[in-house]
């Protein structure tokens, strides 16, 4: 029997972890056909079927489950050995992939507290895409948003709500006056995040169905949207956890209590069997999410 290659075993582990060939290909940064080829090679070399089709995904067979359990422990030991060597040579570095909005407005202001508590750990931050994709081998931790629950096989923990509320700066309210009822906002400058759809949903929640909305600016990224709101350009729909400082300082005010995107939340993901350093960081992140606003770094 030809011994299976490490690449085919890694591909199979990714297939079981993600539940589909497509997601495994994304996690490994290779094509879906390459993953399928690796799976066929592995099954041919072992002489058994390792997965079976289930809807749009795949599930491991009994033999596949036994192999996956052994691989999970084996890869954990490999990662542990490499992590131990790297930590001795250059200190432990955590690779955090994070949405730009969360990184700039929530995570980075808190990192000084993490460094004070764990000076032996260093962090590199990468931007995550806005569309959710499983965490890949190039990151240890992923922070992203999801509408609804993550895939069952994902190692994820909910951090905080992503529901968005209408907010505006006192600079803008000084010009336009007070918003007494939702219909008032139809005549104000509305700031849009990617599209007009969130504002359309918000008005429908209040029994309003405007044929057209304000031609206010559309901002591709939340940091741009929030900056426009803070400087008095109009009214924006924002998740409150990402504008905590502005709400505390009074540079942004919530106008109504009814949010939209109530199904949205920000999630923390890591690989199965995380290293001690990753677990420490994830515990700290959950602590920060539970505590709310930044407290002295």
């Amino acid at each position: 029997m030809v011994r299976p290659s490490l690449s085919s075993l890694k591909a199979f582990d990714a297939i079981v972890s993600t539940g589909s060939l497509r997601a495994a290909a994304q996690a490994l940064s290779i094509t879906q056909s390459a993953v399928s080829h690796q799976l066929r090679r592995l099954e041919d070399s072992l002489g058994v079927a390792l997965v079976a089709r289930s809807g749009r995904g795949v599930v491991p067979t009994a033999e596949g489950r036994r192999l996956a359990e052994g691989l999970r422990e084996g890869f954990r030991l490999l990662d542990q050995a490499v992590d131990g060597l790297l930590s001795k040579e250059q200190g432990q570095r955590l690779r955090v992939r994070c949405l730009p909005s969360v990184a700039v407005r929530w995570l980075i202001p808190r990192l000084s507290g993490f460094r004070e508590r764990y000076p032996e750990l260093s962090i590199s931050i990468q931007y995550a895409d806005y569309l959710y994709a499983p965490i890949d081998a190039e990151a240890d931790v992923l922070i992203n948003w999801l509408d609804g629950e993550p895939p069952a096989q994902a190692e994820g923990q909910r951090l905080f709500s992503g529901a968005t509320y209408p907010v505006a700066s006192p600079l803008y309210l000084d010009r336009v006056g007070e918003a007494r009822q939702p219909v008032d906002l139809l005549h104000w400058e509305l700031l849009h995040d990617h599209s007009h759809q969130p504002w359309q949903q918000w008005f429908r929640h209040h029994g309003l169905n405007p044929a057209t909305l304000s031609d206010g600016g559309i901002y591709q990224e939340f940091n741009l949207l929030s900056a426009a709101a803070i400087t008095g350009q109009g009214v924006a729909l924002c998740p409150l956890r990402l504008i905590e400082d502005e709400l505390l300082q009074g540079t942004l005010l919530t106008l109504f209590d009814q949010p939209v995107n109530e199904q949205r939340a920000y999630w923390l993901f890591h690989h199965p069997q995380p290293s001690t350093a990753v677990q420490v960081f994830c515990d700290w992140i959950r602590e920060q999410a539970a505590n709310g606003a930044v407290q002295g770094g």
Side-chain angles (χ1 to χ4, degrees):
M1 181 183 72
V2 178
R3 300 292 293 182
S5 66
L6 180 61
S7 59
S8 64
L9 293 173
K10 287 289 290 183
F12 175 68
D13 179 64
I15 292 168
V16 175
S17 298
T18 62
S20 77
L21 272 64
R22 180 180 180 182
Q26 292 176 334
L28 296 171
S29 299
I30 60 177
T31 65
Q32 185 172 336
S33 62
V35 171
S36 180
H37 178 68
Q38 293 283 10
L39 176 62
R40 286 197 303 272
R41 286 183 58 191
L42 181 60
E43 290 181 324
D44 290 344
S45 67
L46 296 177
V48 295
L50 297 173
V51 299
R53 292 285 179 183
S54 176
R56 295 185 178 180
V58 294
V59 295
T61 62
E63 292 82 0
R65 284 195 297 273
R66 287 198 295 272
L67 177 60
E69 290 170 0
L71 289 177
R72 188 174 300 116
E73 178 62 15
F75 287 134
R76 184 188 69 80
L77 293 174
L78 283 173
D79 289 340
Q80 190 177 68
V82 172
D83 287 345
L85 180 61
L86 290 176
S87 64
K88 290 179 181 178
E89 294 295 325
Q90 61 184 35
Q92 186 85 34
R93 179 174 295 276
L94 297 173
R95 302 164 301 168
V96 179
R97 185 163 292 167
C98 187
L99 283 173
S101 56
V102 179
V104 173
R105 303 194 61 83
W106 189 82
L107 177 59
I108 291 175
R110 292 167 164 78
L111 282 182
S112 59
F114 180 80
R115 289 195 298 269
E116 289 174 5
R117 192 183 303 183
Y118 304 104
E120 73 280 8
L121 301 179
S122 60
I123 294 176
S124 66
I125 296 180
Q126 315 159 16
Y127 276 167
D129 293 332
Y130 277 93
L131 295 178
Y132 168 76
I135 185 172
D136 60 29
E138 299 302 314
D140 301 307
V141 175
L142 169 67
I143 301 175
N144 211 324
W145 63 263
L146 278 174
D147 287 334
E149 297 292 316
Q153 68 275 8
E155 300 284 342
Q157 295 92 41
R158 186 181 186 276
L159 293 177
F160 47 78
S161 170
T164 55
Y165 294 76
V167 300
S169 165
L171 298 172
Y172 183 72
L173 298 177
D174 286 345
R175 297 203 307 270
V176 299
E178 181 182 355
R180 293 183 172 83
Q181 51 189 344
V183 70
D184 294 340
L185 299 191
L186 286 173
H187 310 292
W188 291 10
E189 187 81 1
L190 304 178
L191 307 178
H192 305 285
D193 186 1
H194 297 289
S195 74
H196 291 178
Q197 185 177 4
W199 271 116
Q200 290 170 337
Q201 292 175 348
W202 188 84
F203 283 116
R204 283 198 294 270
H205 276 310
H206 291 278
L208 301 169
N209 190 20
T212 60
L213 289 177
S214 159
D215 292 329
I218 295 179
Y219 297 86
Q220 185 179 14
E221 200 269 325
F222 179 80
N223 290 317
L224 302 176
L225 176 74
S226 57
I230 292 166
T231 55
Q233 306 302 311
V235 187
L237 289 166
C238 296
L240 302 186
R241 293 302 297 269
L242 299 188
I243 54 169
E244 289 174 330
D245 285 347
E246 288 76 16
L247 294 174
L248 287 171
Q249 297 163 5
T251 53
L252 283 177
L253 305 173
T254 54
L255 304 183
F256 296 97
D257 292 333
Q258 175 65 53
V260 289
N261 297 320
E262 293 178 85
Q263 77 286 359
R264 181 166 300 173
Y266 293 89
W267 289 76
L268 170 71
F269 299 95
H270 57 72
H271 297 286
Q273 303 295 329
S275 68
T276 300
V278 170
Q279 192 61 61
V280 163
F281 180 77
C282 290
D283 289 344
W284 175 82
I285 282 284
R286 288 192 293 268
E287 175 188 313
Q288 297 303 305
N291 286 345
V294 177
Q295 300 291 333

